[in-house]
Amino acid sequence: MKPPAPQLIAAAVLSLALTACGTSVQGAPPSAAPDSLAGTAITVYNAQHEELTQEWADEFQAKTGVTVTLRHGSDSELANQIVQEGNASPADVFLTENSPAMSLVENAGLFTGVDADTLAQVPAGYRPSTDKWTGIAARSTVLVYNPSTLPDTELPESLLDLSDASWKGRWAASPGGADFQAIMSALLQLKGTAATEEWLAGMKANYTPYQGNSAVMRAVNAGEIPAGLIYHYYWFIDQAGTKENSANAKLHFFGKKDPGAFVSVSGGGVLAAGKNQAAAQAFLAFITSKDGQDVLRTGTSMEYPVASGVPANPALPALDTLVAPSVDPATLNGTEVISLMTAAGLL
């Protein structure tokens, strides 16, 4: 889990940062590497959890003989880096935590299409209608709350309730992060500009800012603030470990297709200018295959599998029980959301 990143970083600084954190994946020798792929290499710009993508890369290399180099960063950092680099980008594949960064690269015309067989592994609800990239994982919006300061009987019925004056000083968020901005992108798509502006004004009056979703959860757990808006996996990861940052907290799933029940789709796409198209497409095909999605089911990221019929980790409520609103990931406009949040004094 990475701390929120600045929205725009100079290309030169980003290039140095990416070069410094790039690592070649060293996996076992390929067991049955196809002649067409063995010995080739791809570069993946990775904004997903580093441990998760490392496991994907290790297993893919062992299966195919393709060397995978990972360059880590945040959604906004890497999306802007790819756009700045354009057709000169060394990236073959881009992986994100949230959809708006994928839309930024797609709108710049830098993705090629995803192979039809790969798309067939992912239900339509978890990939963009444009088919220029695909969903690879998902996370649910939730309200984390402390029942000692916010009884179950007082939980909000809707995300929209949090802009009401009755919630002043009673909830927290991390507005500078890509996670929260993705949630706001869904609100914008579902309710429109005027309603989003009104809600953000109410948020500004009511909420308490923290730096990062983990900090929000810790504050709720410690009783500093009654509730906070985060993604589900922060709580489930802590629950699977020491519980030191979640023992006093519970999760409220809004459901009912409310904007607060938004499920954010993590994306994967192949860059049109990439030098190794076949290997890049094969990497996406693997991630969305049963073997690739099993990494989500059995691993430690606590994110949702979205492809190949793989169920979630047993600790999570089933994805199809969340009653999330229907949102085409291709329509999420992160650029407009940043403008609206800046105008509201949140950024």
Side-chain angles (χ1 to χ4, degrees):
M1 292 168 284
K2 301 177 287 297
Q7 298 310 310
L8 291 174
I9 296 197
V13 175
L14 276 170
S15 296
L16 289 173
L18 291 173
T19 301
C21 65
T23 58
S24 291
V25 175
Q26 302 300 323
S31 55
D35 291 339
S36 60
L37 296 181
T40 61
I42 58 173
T43 296
V44 177
Y45 277 22
N46 176 53
Q48 250 293 348
H49 295 161
E50 293 183 17
E51 297 86 353
L52 170 61
T53 306
Q54 187 73 56
E55 191 169 354
W56 274 332
D58 286 342
E59 189 167 342
F60 177 71
Q61 178 166 314
K63 287 177 179 291
T64 65
V66 175
T67 298
V68 181
T69 297
L70 302 178
R71 296 187 177 184
H72 302 298
S74 73
D75 281 357
S76 57
E77 286 175 338
L78 294 183
N80 279 292
Q81 177 71 9
I82 290 170
V83 171
Q84 290 161 358
E85 291 173 337
N87 290 331
S89 177
D92 296 289
V93 176
F94 181 35
L95 303 181
T96 66
E97 291 189 335
N98 296 286
S99 299
M102 301 300 292
S103 295
L104 182 66
V105 175
E106 178 182 354
N107 291 340
L110 298 175
F111 282 136
T112 190
V114 177
D115 284 351
D117 288 347
T118 300
L119 293 173
Q121 296 181 144
V122 184
Y126 300 110
R127 53 183 165 86
S129 57
T130 59
D131 290 341
K132 285 295 186 180
W133 51 276
T134 186
I136 58 172
R139 60 275 304 279
S140 175
T141 309
V142 294
L143 189 76
V144 60
Y145 70 102
N146 190 321
S148 68
T149 54
L150 180 60
D152 290 0
T153 54
E154 296 181 16
L155 288 169
E157 292 188 8
S158 170
L159 170 72
L160 302 179
D161 295 343
L162 298 179
S163 68
D164 186 83
S166 63
W167 282 93
K168 184 175 180 62
R170 301 177 70 196
W171 68 282
S174 177
D179 290 353
F180 187 83
Q181 291 165 21
I183 297 168
M184 293 300 97
S185 295
L187 178 63
L188 176 63
Q189 198 272 349
L190 291 164
K191 298 297 182 180
T193 300
T196 301
E197 288 177 327
E198 182 179 356
W199 192 88
L200 291 172
M203 172 183 171
K204 174 65 175 174
N206 293 343
Y207 94 118
T208 299
Y210 283 85
Q211 191 77 5
N213 287 339
S214 294
V216 171
M217 185 173 72
R218 287 195 298 270
V220 171
N221 188 66
E224 295 176 14
I225 193 84
L229 201 65
I230 63 172
Y231 281 147
H232 78 278
Y233 65 84
Y234 291 90
W235 187 88
F236 282 100
I237 289 174
D238 194 68
Q239 284 284 301
T242 63
K243 300 182 177 65
E244 62 183 315
N245 296 315
S246 64
N248 302 320
K250 297 170 67 175
L251 295 187
H252 173 50
F253 288 82
F254 287 96
K256 301 178 182 178
K257 299 186 178 181
D258 187 79
F262 168 62
V263 169
S264 182
V265 172
S266 302
V270 174
L271 278 300
K275 304 297 188 294
N276 299 291
Q277 295 284 315
Q281 293 285 356
F283 185 59
L284 273 192
F286 165 72
I287 288 176
T288 56
S289 71
K290 183 181 185 303
D291 285 349
Q293 294 288 286
D294 270 339
V295 174
L296 290 159
R297 179 178 64 84
T298 62
T300 60
S301 73
M302 291 298 181
E303 295 184 74
Y304 281 99
V306 296
S308 299
V310 175
N313 185 298
L316 304 181
L319 189 57
D320 61 6
T321 68
L322 302 183
V323 198
S326 179
V327 177
D328 179 355
T331 66
L332 297 181
N333 191 331
T335 301
E336 184 176 355
V337 160
I338 289 171
S339 296
L340 293 174
M341 291 180 66
T342 300
L346 295 165
L347 295 176

